Every structure is written in structure tokens, then in C-alpha cells.
Amino acid sequence: MSAPSELLNVQIDGIWHQFQKGTRVIEACAQAGKFVPHYCYHPKLSSPGNCRMCLIEIGMPKLGPDRKPETGTDGKPLINWIPRPQISCAQDISEGMGIRTESPMVKECRNGVMEFLLINHPLDCPICDQAGECQLQEYSVEFGTAGSRFLEEKVKKPKRVEIGPRVTLDDERCILCSRCIRFMKEVAHDDVLGFVSRGSHTYLTAHPDRLLDSNYSLNTVDICPVGALTSSDFRFKMRVWFLKETKSICTSCATGCNTIIGTRQNQVFRQTPRENDAVNSAWMCDYGRLNYHYVNSTDRLQTPQIREGQELVNTTWNSALVKAGEELKQFSKDGIAVVASAKMTNEELWLTKNLTELVGTSHCDIIPRSGAADDILMSADRNPNTLGAQLIGLTGEKPGLRLKDIAEGVRSGTIKAVLALGEDLTQIGLQADELKKLASLIVLDILPTETTRSATVLLPSSAFCEKRGSMINIKGRLQRLHRATQPPGAARDDWEIVRDLIQKLTGSNGIYLIEDVFKQMTDSIPDMNGLSLSRIGDKGVQLVEETEEAPAAI
Amino acid sequence: MASTTRTAHPREKRVIFKNIDRPGWTNDIGCYLQDGGYEDLKKAIAMNPQDIVTEVKTSALRGRGGAGFLCGVKWGFIKPGGSKPVYLICNADESEPGTFKDRYIIHQDPHQLLEGMIISCFAVNARLAYIYIRGEFPEGAKILERALAEAREHGFLGKNILGSGFDLEIYVFRGAGAYICGEETGLIESMEGKRPYPRIKPPYFPAVLGLYLCPTIVNNVETLCNVKYIVRMGGAEYAKVGTRVLCVSGDVQRPCYCEFEVGGITMGELIYDICGGLKPGRTLKAVIPGGSSAKVMSAKDRYKIKTKQPDGTIRENEMGLEDVPIDFETLAAAGSMAGSGGVIVMDDTRDMVWALNNINEFYAHESCGQCTPCREGSLWMKKITARMLHGGGVPEDSDTLKRVADNIAGRTICAFGEACAWPTQSFLDKFPEEFVATAKRMGNGNGSTNH
């Protein structure tokens, strides 16, 4: 094995650079600021070299009679240029290599490939979902020609193929780059896609009696450089150039895949993975990606409510919070229980922890959530922030261990007041009639449940895409969520609601901004000392050692 | 298949084709053994394998599949003592239009091939070998299976061949009918159960990374047969007297296969002496000398060919197409190639747009579709020539055809790019006026077409 620091000299467009040994030619060019257009090449997949868009000129050092490189007047090696263009995606740089990315031959090659890719393409950009983020469009602008010499009929291929439950295929738009095939084989471990037929009549399909139904199928839509594979969920919903993009993380399991939330006019239209090699490479699962529709639901809780007899009636935030404060003050320490959620941010959990300490109860926990893990990204822990809840101390080594006692206490009447944050208490075995018996049931949530219907005070809060804050994934990585949309109606950010509850019990607590919460939290949790929200950055920071449960690296 | 036997022309020198159409000859091992068969294997197996490789290098034997690569150099890429097994594959996917030599060897003289193969395997230390035979040769596959069984019975295959300690098995692998499987890396992919997409280069040779990622030698049927004679006569002698099988088709009186010393016959001699000349009243227009992908040569052109004189000096001769000797260097110098030995003769009645369209149809149909220029370009060229023939030509067609071909050649994963571009480039280069005339004569000017 070569030393990691081994640097090789490579000439790119006349200028000598140094690159790490093992660097792909196309990557070296990118590092030198010379972008080489490409379709089939994807840094996370194998290189088939089939699109021919990345053709460049390559040369090797000219060897003298002594088999040693000859040098020019500048002391640099002379280069023997290979007469035929070479692809830059499938080979590594070597010492003394010469590369030309802007020569007339290279330009001619790019023009030629662009023309070939377009002659049988339907050119249906006006109705294509990929328009606006299509590499065929982008490279046409840069490397294409305005006119077409093609006078023939185009090749006809299958259109609107439901190749899987979540993906729609248009074979006429496909440029046969094989990214999707390679992704399914190499990353999703479900070798379900392939080409059939031959030549220009080649088309993509799923194998007989199979569907593209993997939980990772929508990644093929992301990496499809054209509009061949489109998301059946997103298709025809919104032109991509109208989407506001917000960096965030997926909250559907403990992996915490980095995402971009695409929104317009306060509505979420899609989530796509954001590359982070420490977490999710460039992928995310379909389950997490599509698990956002509930935030757009018309059932969203929008107004604070208080119970008046059998009825929950709308009220103002202030009167709801005053009532909640009064109810909490009525009961002694262990007469109160706090059931929080590991879907909450660290900031919310931290304030909730403060609240439990303030009322002096030891009855607090989160509700664990689990499912089948896979060996790709999905974690068995379906809560996104279990580690955060543990670090902050709202739950113990075994999350949910105290829930049985809480449920018992409610039934036996020793617990008279429950604060439920983002969780439905029927999940811990409590029935609606049992919940109704509680003297006080203060509930923060976003959608109606048995628990919200039984509440004495109902405080409408925010979904994952409506809040700022941080979470710790299963590998111990602290990551940020960002607000992509505003919560509906009068619903508020959870951290503000909990802060205001504390204030109703104590008067002012000096917290005005989420940064203040974060500072208090980091000051008192040693693992977080010295951090700030801005310092976490877009790709997170590693807080604690990776646990054994972490999914296999991709 | 040959329903009537034909005798060799007295000018021929039959070595590889010695037994083809030979009276009384059968393709069973008894007949082969009576004729001195497997004696060269006995000689080879007593030799040092590396010495056989050296002899093949000395012989300058060139591959007979089309590319004409030096066989000994190819074998030399196998490094003795490697940790991975070495495979040898006989490429019997003979598919180049105009080429029909390997099928006769397989049908009429299969043991000659097996003997050459066994010697070659011994030379490169391959213990497992395959004959990749095209799907359209079911009869050939049966004959080979029987020949392999016979060879096994006689101890020429299997464990401890002829007491040498060398073990070898050969299997027949039938293709499913695709021209691209003749490309050696496509062939290997096909054997691995995948679509026969040729592999990207580098690595340039399967000898570096071949079947199941092991070093692999892929040689054409005729090439492997030649190895037997190199062992018999020595590389140096072979270099002087080695032969080449030619397949002549097209506008001659007697299309045929024949065998001559490499460079031992001119194009004119082949057409007029061996094949009975052109049909009455016709004149020679063009020849495609090495299978349909070789560049067409015009009878109107003069070719400047450098030849080595007996005294060792090089002299440049200017000659007509009929005087061009058929060998690797001369045809390359004349701007075409010896290719697979398929000589296609065209007389003055041939419409060159029609001829090119015929070739274009083949390559558009056989393009594997893996890489963009060939996939899209081959069909485009076919559509243009078809449109021209059907009355839809436009003045720009010649220019478009040429530029499409230029955008394919040299930019593809495998040599199919050249194979499908060279016909268009050369037909346009040699017969430009016919394309202009066709566009004018038949064109309605708007280029529209419904086929």
C-alpha cells in the first residue's frame, strides 16, 4: 500500500498540479477547477464508461532511449498525447500524465455525444418533471448545438411505465447510462433492473415478474440524470425551479439521513437525500423520504384548546398556558408524569427535562419505537433522537422502562397529571376512558389522537420540517434540522411552548432564542461543551463513539 | 453448407484448409489420425511451453479474426507462475459479413482445431478452455462435441495428456446470436452470463483481466489451427511460408474459399484466376478486402505501396487495385485491412448507396447499444442511407453521414465503432458522386420519410 501522502504530478490544460495517488482522472480535473461533463459516472457507483460524455485527451510522459521521461525546457516531462480521446471516469491519474479538457478534439467529442443523445430523445422538456435539474438540458446549453441535422423518425419506446410502486419510467427519455441498474445492484443489493433489446432500441426494464419495489427505489430517480425515472409521488406536482431548498435531516429513524426539503408556498413537495459520507452517503430510504405527507394534512392541530366539561374549546395561547401552569401547580411531585418523544429535538428535550426537574417528578420517559433494520440505512430504532434523550437524561439506558409504572400510576390514580409531548398515550396501554379520568392532561401534538381528544389543555406544535434544532443519530452524530415551512394556524414551535410552560411555573427563565436553549444545554452536558448550533454545520459533528448498532457503512 | 465438393485451385497452397472438401475425408478422429493427426501435439507436449510461445512470437502469426494482432505478443501478456488460473477461449463466433472460413474448419476438420487448441493451452498453461461458437452454428456445435469426446477417448484431453502430466478440458459454449460476442471482452461477458457488453479499456487485453477476472487468451479458430504448423515447422520457417484463408463473395463467377501464402496473390489474380472473373460484360468497381467493416477500395484508385525487394531495399510502387497483393501490411498501407479475410467483390452494376445501406443495416442491427456514439450513430447512418434509397434524399445527406461516422470512430468502448463507421467513411470518400447523384435523382427535397 502506498503512503497516503503520495502525490503525483499531473498536467491539466497546460498547468501542473499535484494530486493524491488513486485520484480518478475526472475527480482530479474537478479539483483543478476543470469540470468534465458526464452522465454515467457517479462517484458512489462503479464506472461503466458508456456515455462517452467525459472524453478528454490524455498523454503519458515521453520516454527517452533510456526509458526515462524526457523533460522540456521548463524541466517538466514532455508528454506523448494518445491520438484517440479517452474517458476520464474510469482510470486513475499517474505520474507525469497530461490531460486536455478544452482542446478542439474534446469539444468535438462533447458536441458529438450531445447530438447523439438528443436525436432519439423526445425533447418534451415542457412537460418533463426533470426540467430544471436535467443534465441533458444543462449540457445542451454548454456543449450542444442549436440546430438538428436529424431528419429521421425517432425510436419509439415504452412510456409511463409503472416500474415500481413509487417510480414511473419513460424509456424514450432514458439515455441508457445504467446508473439506476448499478445503484440497485451495488447499493440496494436488489439487482432488479436491466436493459433489454439491442442497439438504439435498448430500453430499461425490471426483470420479468419483478418490480422496482425496493425501499431504496427513489434513489434511482435522484441519480437519473434525465427525466426517465421520476417519482410517482412528486410527478407533476411542482416545477423544480419553484422549490425552496432547505437543508435538514430525516426523522423517520435513528440514522438521520441528511436531506433537502423542497417546499413552495409553505407546502412540502419532496425530500431528497443530501450527501454526507458520515451518515447516508448520497442515499435515503423511500419510507423516510415519503414520510412527510402528514405535515400537509388538513387535520393538523392549529389552535390551542382547553377543556370545558365534555368539550375542547378554542382559546388563546396565553390562557391555555396559564391553565396548564395552574394545573401543574396543583399536584405534588410524583403526582405528575411526563411522557416525551424521541422525535423531539435536543432543545425541546432539554427544556422538558428542566420542566420535570422543576415539578420534581421522577416519572418521565420516552416511548421507544422500533422496526426491522436493514443492512443499508434503515435503523431498528425508528426514533430519530433516542441518544439525545438519553444524554439529556429524559430516559435511561433502556428507553421506555418507566412507562409501565406511569401507566399503572394513571390507572391507580397516584398519577393525576400527565404532560404528553408528541406521543399518543394509547401506545403505552392507556385507554381513552382512563385518560379522561386524569385531572390534568396537557398535550403537545400536531395531529389528533385519543390523547389530544382527552386533553385538558391542548397545545398545537410543529412538525420536523417546521422547526430548528438538533438531534443525535444512532452513530452519535449531532445534526441540525432547519425550518422549511411555517407551522399551520396558531401552532407554535415545541421549544417555545415548553419554555412558556416553565415561565408560567417560575416567571422568566432568561430564554429568548433557541440559541439560548442550546447554550444552556451545552454548558451542562460535558459531551456538548463548547458547541453552538452554527458550529454543528451542515454535516453534523461526531459527539460520542459510534455504537455497535450502527448500520453497515455504505 | 457445401453441398458440392470443390477442389483446390492449383495456385492455392492449402495448409489450414488442406482437408476441406478433400475426397474421402471425414471429420472423425480415425480419419484425422490416419493422416498424421495429433503428431504435432505429441511434439509440442515434449517441448518447454515457453519455447512454444517463443516460436509463435518468431512466426509473427497474426490473429485471423479481424484485428490482426500478433498472437505471440498476446500470449506474452500471460506471466508464467501467476496465482490465478489461465483460460483459453477459441473465438468461433464467426459473424463478420463476407467471412465463412471458420465454419468449414469446424465442420470438416474439427480435430485440426482441437489439436491447435490443446497445443496453445499447453503453451500458455491453460487447464480449462472453451470454444465459443455462434448460436447460428448448431451443427458445428454438435460436431465439436463429438470431436471433443473422441479426443478425450484417445487421451488427447482430460488428465495427464499423453503422459505429460498436463491436464486440460475443453467445453463448447454456444452463443445466442449476436455479432458483438465476437469482440473478445463481449464474448467473455456473455460467457459470464451477462449481456455481451464489451469491457472498457484499459485493461486492453483479457490476458490481464479476462474470464472470471482471470488471465484469458482469446484466439480465432484459424489462428489456433496455425499454431499446430508453427510447432511442426518452427516459427522462423512459418514466418516465410505461413498461409491465409480468404473467402470471396460478391460479383465473381465462382465465389469460394481458398488459401494462399500470406501476400502470395494479388487482388486481380484472386478475382480473375481463382474465382473465374467477373460476370460477362462487367467491370470491377470496388473490393472490400477484409470483411464488411474493412474500408472499401475503389478500382479507379491508384495505390502507392512500399514493397521490400529481394535485396532488402524498399521500393515504392504505384499500382491499381488488381495488382495489390493481399497481405496485412499492403492492405493497411492501401488504406484498408486484411481483417477477417472476407473479400467482397463489386462490379459496375452495384449502387454504392444501396451497398452501404446494406452494410449499415447490419451494423445498426448488431450494435450492442452500450455506448452512445455507436448506439445512436449506427442507426442514424442506416436511416439516412435507407431514406436516400427510398426517395427522400437531401443535399446535406453526404455531409451528415460523414460527420456522424466521424463522431463514432475512435470514441467508443470497442472496435465496433470503427467497424460501423469505416464503411460509411470509405464509401463516401471513394464514391462521393454516387451519393450526391442519389440524393438528387431520387430526392424530393424535404427529407420526409415514413419507413
Side-chain angles (χ1 to χ4, degrees), chain B residues 117-376:
Chain B
M117 252 187 108
I118 298 165
I119 296 170
S120 303
C121 287
F122 178 70
V124 299
N125 195 27
R127 307 297 173 103
L128 192 53
Y130 297 90
I131 303 170
Y132 189 104
I133 185 165
R134 67 182 297 206
E136 293 88 337
F137 288 173
E139 189 62 27
K142 275 188 211 154
I143 291 165
L144 285 171
E145 293 282 13
R146 201 193 72 199
L148 285 168
E150 289 173 339
R152 249 174 239 127
E153 278 170 27
H154 284 77
F156 300 131
L157 276 176
K159 296 273 177 205
N160 193 19
I161 293 168
L162 299 172
S164 63
F166 177 66
D167 306 335
L168 173 67
E169 267 309 333
I170 299 179
Y171 297 103
V172 174
F173 187 102
R174 290 190 60 196
Y179 173 80
I180 201 64
C181 290
E183 201 276 355
E184 60 185 4
T185 60
L187 183 153
I188 286 170
E189 289 283 301
S190 158
M191 283 189 63
E192 290 180 354
K194 296 178 256 177
R195 279 174 78 83
Y197 279 168
R199 295 177 176 174
I200 49 173
K201 289 95 187 162
Y204 292 98
F205 294 98
V208 180
L209 207 64
L211 184 65
Y212 309 124
L213 306 180
C214 294
T216 303
I217 292 294
V218 183
N219 281 142
N220 167 263
V221 171
E222 187 191 343
T223 314
L224 288 167
C225 290
N226 272 287
V227 172
K228 174 180 148 84
Y229 301 99
I230 293 169
V231 166
R232 185 185 295 174
M233 62 180 80
E237 181 62 16
Y238 178 92
K240 287 184 237 157
V241 300
T243 60
R244 172 99 219 227
V245 178
L246 300 173
C247 317
V248 190
S249 62
D251 300 326
V252 288
Q253 297 272 18
R254 287 196 305 276
C256 67
Y257 38 81
C258 44
E259 186 175 3
F260 303 95
E261 269 182 35
V262 175
I265 191 162
T266 65
M267 199 65 82
E269 289 166 344
L270 181 69
I271 294 169
Y272 297 106
D273 299 348
I274 311 299
C275 299
L278 305 168
K279 288 168 191 165
R282 309 275 179 86
T283 51
L284 183 64
K285 183 172 191 177
V287 173
I288 302 173
S292 62
S293 61
K295 290 187 173 177
V296 67
M297 299 169 80
S298 168
K300 279 186 291 186
D301 280 7
R302 302 290 294 171
Y303 297 90
K304 285 181 184 163
I305 308 295
K306 285 179 184 147
T307 45
K308 203 171 181 183
Q309 302 301 303
D311 62 0
T313 56
I314 306 279
R315 212 174 79 196
E316 188 178 89
N317 288 331
E318 197 182 284
M319 57 184 78
L321 173 58
E322 291 169 7
D323 297 324
V324 172
I326 301 173
D327 66 66
F328 291 97
E329 287 78 13
T330 308
L331 289 174
S336 187
M337 63 173 180
S340 59
V343 180
I344 302 168
V345 180
M346 289 181 272
D347 69 25
D348 57 338
T349 64
R350 288 292 154 195
D351 175 348
M352 294 320 245
V353 181
W354 183 91
L356 176 62
N357 183 58
N358 184 288
I359 295 173
N360 282 351
E361 278 181 1
F362 176 79
Y363 288 107
H365 185 253
E366 294 294 345
S367 168
C368 77
Q370 181 183 202
C371 66
T372 309
C374 165
R375 178 182 70 231
E376 303 299 338

Side-chain angles (χ1 to χ4, degrees), chain A residues 47-52 84 90 108 115-117 120 149-150 152-153 155 175-176 195 197-200, chain B residues 177 195 197 200 365-368 370-373 375-377 379-380 383-384 387 403 411-413 418:
Chain A
S47 293
N50 64 34
C51 75
R52 317 307 282 179
R84 291 164 61 128
E108 217 178 86
E115 181 177 38
F116 284 137
L117 287 175
N120 282 304
R149 298 181 291 186
F150 189 73
E152 327 306 327
E153 269 190 35
V155 174
I175 58 165
L176 304 166
F195 290 139
S197 203
R198 208 159 69 185
S200 186
Chain B
R195 279 174 78 83
Y197 279 168
I200 49 173
H365 185 253
E366 294 294 345
S367 168
C368 77
Q370 181 183 202
C371 66
T372 309
R375 178 182 70 231
E376 303 299 338
L379 183 62
W380 190 0
K383 284 180 172 176
I384 294 173
R387 174 166 51 73
R403 286 167 68 176
R411 299 179 188 179
T412 53
I413 290 174
E418 284 75 27

Side-chain angles (χ1 to χ4, degrees), chain A residues 39 51-53 107-123 136 139-152 154 175 200, chain B residues 372-377 380-381 384 396 399-408 411:
Chain A
Y39 290 106
C51 75
R52 317 307 282 179
M53 192 63 196
K107 283 179 182 164
E108 217 178 86
C109 287
R110 290 173 183 174
N111 284 164
V113 172
M114 272 317 303
E115 181 177 38
F116 284 137
L117 287 175
L118 292 175
I119 56 171
N120 282 304
H121 187 85
L123 301 175
L136 216 45
Y139 298 164
S140 283
V141 173
E142 273 188 84
F143 312 109
T145 46
S148 170
R149 298 181 291 186
F150 189 73
L151 303 175
E152 327 306 327
K154 293 184 190 247
I175 58 165
S200 186
Chain B
T372 309
C374 165
R375 178 182 70 231
E376 303 299 338
W380 190 0
M381 292 190 297
I384 294 173
E396 296 79 27
D399 182 50
T400 307
L401 270 175
K402 183 182 182 314
R403 286 167 68 176
V404 172
D406 291 350
N407 277 338
I408 303 171
R411 299 179 188 179

Side-chain angles (χ1 to χ4, degrees), chain A residues 268-447:
Chain A
V268 178
F269 282 92
R270 70 174 182 185
Q271 292 189 96
T272 46
R274 181 164 57 88
E275 191 172 329
N276 188 341
D277 285 342
V279 181
N280 56 309
S281 186
W283 324 117
M284 73 186 294
C285 77
D286 292 1
Y287 166 74
R289 182 196 300 252
L290 296 179
N291 191 15
Y292 72 86
H293 288 282
Y294 65 90
V295 308
N296 295 333
S297 164
T298 49
D299 289 344
R300 283 288 299 272
L301 303 175
Q302 302 197 21
T303 316
Q305 293 181 315
I306 52 174
R307 181 162 297 281
E308 284 183 2
Q310 290 300 305
E311 297 288 305
L312 276 169
V313 296
N314 291 352
T315 185
T316 63
W317 270 105
N318 190 47
S319 51
L321 288 163
V322 166
K323 180 158 192 293
E326 282 168 355
E327 287 184 3
L328 285 177
K329 279 180 196 164
Q330 286 173 26
F331 304 100
S332 65
K333 301 178 176 186
D334 282 345
I336 301 174
V338 176
V339 179
S341 174
K343 283 180 172 292
M344 297 163 72
T345 65
N346 290 326
E347 293 71 19
E348 293 156 8
L349 290 166
W350 166 255
L351 288 168
T352 306
K353 172 69 177 162
N354 283 356
L355 186 65
T356 61
E357 283 169 2
L358 200 62
V359 300
T361 180
S362 58
H363 293 307
C364 68
D365 210 336
I366 58 163
I367 300 182
R369 203 172 253 107
S370 63
D374 63 25
D375 59 354
I376 301 172
L377 284 172
M378 185 163 270
S379 165
D381 184 355
R382 295 291 158 82
N383 274 329
N385 196 24
T386 306
L387 237 55
Q390 286 172 323
L391 201 62
I392 286 159
L394 257 178
T395 187
E397 186 87 352
K398 282 200 169 164
L401 201 61
R402 305 169 196 151
L403 292 172
K404 202 177 158 210
D405 288 348
I406 293 174
E408 281 306 309
V410 171
R411 286 195 190 97
S412 67
T414 56
I415 292 174
K416 298 182 175 59
V418 177
L419 172 61
L421 301 105
E423 295 288 9
D424 179 6
L425 298 179
T426 59
Q427 289 179 96
I428 65 170
L430 291 168
Q431 304 304 312
D433 55 333
E434 293 170 319
L435 294 174
K436 293 245 166 61
K437 282 185 206 151
L438 282 165
S440 167
L441 178 56
I442 303 164
V443 182
L444 280 75
D445 216 331
I446 62 169
L447 283 166

